[in-house]
Amino acid sequence: MSTFKGRLHETVVKFPNTDIWMDSCGENELNYALERGCVGATSNPAIVGSVIKGELSIWEKRIKEMVSERKDMTEEDVAWALIYEIGALRSKKLLPIFNESKGIKGRLSIQTNPKYYRDTEKMLQQADVINSLGENMQIKMPASEAGIKAMEEATYRGISINATVSFTVAQAVAVAEAVERGLKRREAKGLSTETMSPVCTIMIGRTDDWLKKYTDEHDIIVDPEILEWSGIAVMKEAYRIFKERGYKTRLLSAACRNHHHWSQLIGGDLSMTIPFNWHKKLNSCDIEVASRIEIPVKEEYMNQLRKLSEFQKSFDEFGMKYNEFEKYGGFRATVSGFIGGYDELLKLVRGYMI
C-alpha cells in the first residue's frame, strides 16, 4: 500500500524543490493541503469572497459586528477588514513551515486591491498594511507597468512579493529584474535579504485561455491540442531563463486547467498553486510522478504555436515592453475578472449594510 496521500503528496516527497500550494485561504482547503505536504497558499478578494460564502456560519456574525459597531465604515472598509482578518488568521496555519524554512516557505499571499493596477503608490501603501498582518505575509501585485515599479520598491522595503496577473516570459523577466534591483538597493543599505521569498506567478491556464480566445476571434484553425501547451511552453522558457540567470525570484504556476499544468512541471525548483478541486483530481489520478521540467514541448506543437503572433508575445522575452503588459488580452480579461470578483465581495457586504 502506498504511503503517499495522493499524487501531489508524492510529488513533494520525491521532489522537495517542487512546492505545492493551495489556491485558497479556506480552512478546510488549507487543512486538506497541509496534510499532504502543501507549503504555501494564495488568495485574492474573489477567493476571500468564496471563502466567506463557504464559511458563512463563521463570518456572518463577524460582518454583522463590524457593520453594527462601526457606523463610519463603508462597504469597502468592511471588505478589507475581512480580507485582512481572514488572511492574518489563516496565515498562522503556515507559520510552522515558515519558521522551519526560515522564511523561504510557509507564506500566505494576499492581493492588493485589483483596481489599483495602474497606481504604484496605492499598491505600496496597501502592501505595507498587508505586510504588517503577520510575519509570513507575501504581497500580490499585478505585473503591470505600475506594479513592476511597486515590486521594486516593496522589495527594497523588505516585503516579499508575489507578482500576479502575469502570463508571459516578458512579464516574468521584468518582475525578476525589478526584484533584483530592489534587493541590491536593500543590500547596499546593509539590510538583510536572506529570509525574503519573492515569487512570480505565471497564470499558465489563462495563457492557454487567451490563445484559445484569440484564435477563435480571428478564425484561425490550429490543432486543438497545441493550445493546451502554450502556457507550459511559456513556463518552461521562463524557467530556463530564471535558472540561467540565478534570479532570487522563484516561479509559481497558477490557473490549473489540465494535468499538464502539474505533471509537466514536476522536478522543477518552483511552486504550483492549485485550486482545491484540482488538488482532489490530481491526488486521485494515475499519472506517474516523474520529473518532466526539462522535457521540451514537442517541436511539432511549437512550430504551430510560433505562427501565432499572440504566442510570440507570450513566449519571447522581448515580446512586449512594460507599457504593453496591460494591453495583452490575458491581462485585460484577468483584471476585469478580478475586479468583478472584488465587486461581488462588496455586494455580499452591502447586503448586510443596507
Side-chain angles (χ1 to χ4, degrees), residues 117-131:
Y117 71 96
R118 299 178 66 183
D119 194 319
T120 298
E121 285 307 313
K122 284 184 178 178
M123 280 188 267
L124 282 170
Q125 289 169 11
Q126 198 169 29
D128 286 333
V129 175
I130 295 170
N131 199 49

Side-chain angles (χ1 to χ4, degrees), residues 17-140:
N17 285 336
T18 303
D19 295 336
I20 302 296
W21 294 13
M22 172 56 73
D23 198 17
S24 173
C25 56
E27 183 167 29
N28 290 338
E29 291 94 324
L30 278 174
N31 289 343
Y32 172 94
L34 289 168
E35 289 173 1
R36 292 162 176 81
C38 170
V39 294
T42 51
S43 73
N44 58 42
I47 287 174
V48 171
S50 296
V51 168
I52 291 171
K53 290 176 184 177
E55 301 177 0
L56 203 55
S57 61
I58 299 172
W59 296 108
E60 184 175 51
K61 179 182 177 182
R62 188 70 185 107
I63 297 170
K64 290 179 178 178
E65 287 174 351
M66 289 181 185
V67 171
S68 174
E69 293 170 3
R70 291 281 307 278
K71 302 295 185 183
D72 59 331
M73 291 182 85
T74 67
E75 60 191 33
E76 290 206 85
D77 293 333
V78 174
W80 282 101
L82 287 166
I83 291 169
Y84 295 155
E85 188 168 318
I86 292 170
L89 178 66
R90 297 294 156 76
S91 70
K92 293 177 181 177
K93 288 182 174 291
L94 294 157
L95 268 178
I97 299 166
F98 176 83
N99 291 328
E100 184 180 349
S101 68
K102 298 181 180 179
I104 302 304
K105 303 182 183 184
R107 292 181 181 267
L108 172 64
S109 289
I110 299 179
Q111 188 171 325
T112 56
N113 191 326
K115 293 182 179 181
Y116 292 167
Y117 71 96
R118 299 178 66 183
D119 194 319
T120 298
E121 285 307 313
K122 284 184 178 178
M123 280 188 267
L124 282 170
Q125 289 169 11
Q126 198 169 29
D128 286 333
V129 175
I130 295 170
N131 199 49
S132 71
L133 298 177
E135 56 186 315
N136 59 335
M137 292 295 112
Q138 197 168 47
I139 288 71
K140 293 173 75 173

Side-chain angles (χ1 to χ4, degrees), residues 59-333:
W59 296 108
E60 184 175 51
K61 179 182 177 182
R62 188 70 185 107
I63 297 170
K64 290 179 178 178
E65 287 174 351
M66 289 181 185
V67 171
S68 174
E69 293 170 3
R70 291 281 307 278
K71 302 295 185 183
D72 59 331
M73 291 182 85
T74 67
E75 60 191 33
E76 290 206 85
D77 293 333
V78 174
W80 282 101
L82 287 166
I83 291 169
Y84 295 155
E85 188 168 318
I86 292 170
L89 178 66
R90 297 294 156 76
S91 70
K92 293 177 181 177
K93 288 182 174 291
L94 294 157
L95 268 178
I97 299 166
F98 176 83
N99 291 328
E100 184 180 349
S101 68
K102 298 181 180 179
I104 302 304
K105 303 182 183 184
R107 292 181 181 267
L108 172 64
S109 289
I110 299 179
Q111 188 171 325
T112 56
N113 191 326
K115 293 182 179 181
Y116 292 167
Y117 71 96
R118 299 178 66 183
D119 194 319
T120 298
E121 285 307 313
K122 284 184 178 178
M123 280 188 267
L124 282 170
Q125 289 169 11
Q126 198 169 29
D128 286 333
V129 175
I130 295 170
N131 199 49
S132 71
L133 298 177
E135 56 186 315
N136 59 335
M137 292 295 112
Q138 197 168 47
I139 288 71
K140 293 173 75 173
M141 291 179 277
S144 58
E145 184 175 16
I148 300 293
K149 293 176 183 176
M151 288 178 223
E152 177 182 341
E153 179 61 25
T155 300
Y156 169 65
R157 297 180 187 183
I159 295 171
S160 291
I161 63 96
N162 178 355
T164 187
V165 199
S166 173
F167 321 87
T168 69
V169 175
Q171 285 175 290
V173 171
V175 168
E177 291 289 347
V179 169
E180 292 298 310
R181 292 192 297 270
L183 292 170
K184 286 178 182 177
R185 289 171 55 200
R186 186 169 173 80
E187 290 165 351
K189 294 285 187 179
L191 300 171
S192 175
T193 61
E194 281 186 20
T195 60
M196 293 179 67
S197 183
V199 298
C200 177
T201 299
I202 299 183
M203 307 181 85
I204 54 179
R206 291 179 181 263
T207 305
D208 292 351
D209 293 345
W210 169 238
L211 264 291
K212 291 172 186 177
K213 185 177 182 186
Y214 172 79
T215 53
D216 184 58
E217 289 178 345
H218 290 79
D219 298 322
I220 299 171
I221 297 295
V222 296
D223 292 333
E225 61 267 28
I226 77 160
L227 299 177
E228 302 293 340
W229 289 87
S230 57
I232 290 295
V234 166
M235 188 73 177
K236 291 196 176 199
E237 174 66 3
Y239 183 79
R240 179 189 67 77
I241 292 171
F242 273 47
K243 297 306 289 182
E244 277 184 2
R245 298 180 187 173
Y247 291 136
K248 186 175 179 73
T249 303
R250 293 179 88 228
L251 287 169
L252 170 72
S253 68
C256 186
R257 299 285 190 269
N258 58 58
H259 80 77
H260 299 310
H261 292 161
W262 154 71
S263 59
Q264 284 293 317
L265 304 179
I266 295 173
D269 183 10
L270 48 74
S271 301
M272 307 181 215
T273 184
I274 301 173
F276 186 38
N277 64 323
W278 272 99
H279 267 261
K280 292 186 288 184
K281 288 179 183 179
L282 294 174
N283 273 324
S284 61
C285 77
D286 59 3
I287 295 161
E288 181 187 4
V289 175
S291 179
R292 299 182 182 89
I293 188 65
E294 302 294 344
I295 300 175
V297 175
K298 291 180 181 180
E299 194 60 29
E300 62 188 277
Y301 293 171
M302 293 299 297
N303 288 338
Q304 290 192 62
L305 286 169
R306 289 190 181 102
K307 294 178 183 178
L308 304 174
S309 61
E310 289 300 299
F311 176 74
Q312 287 299 107
K313 286 183 183 178
S314 310
F315 184 79
D316 186 350
E317 177 185 352
F318 305 103
M320 289 187 292
K321 298 178 181 178
Y322 284 27
N323 63 356
E324 295 175 315
F325 292 160
E326 294 165 37
K327 300 174 185 176
Y328 179 80
F331 189 104
R332 289 185 283 112

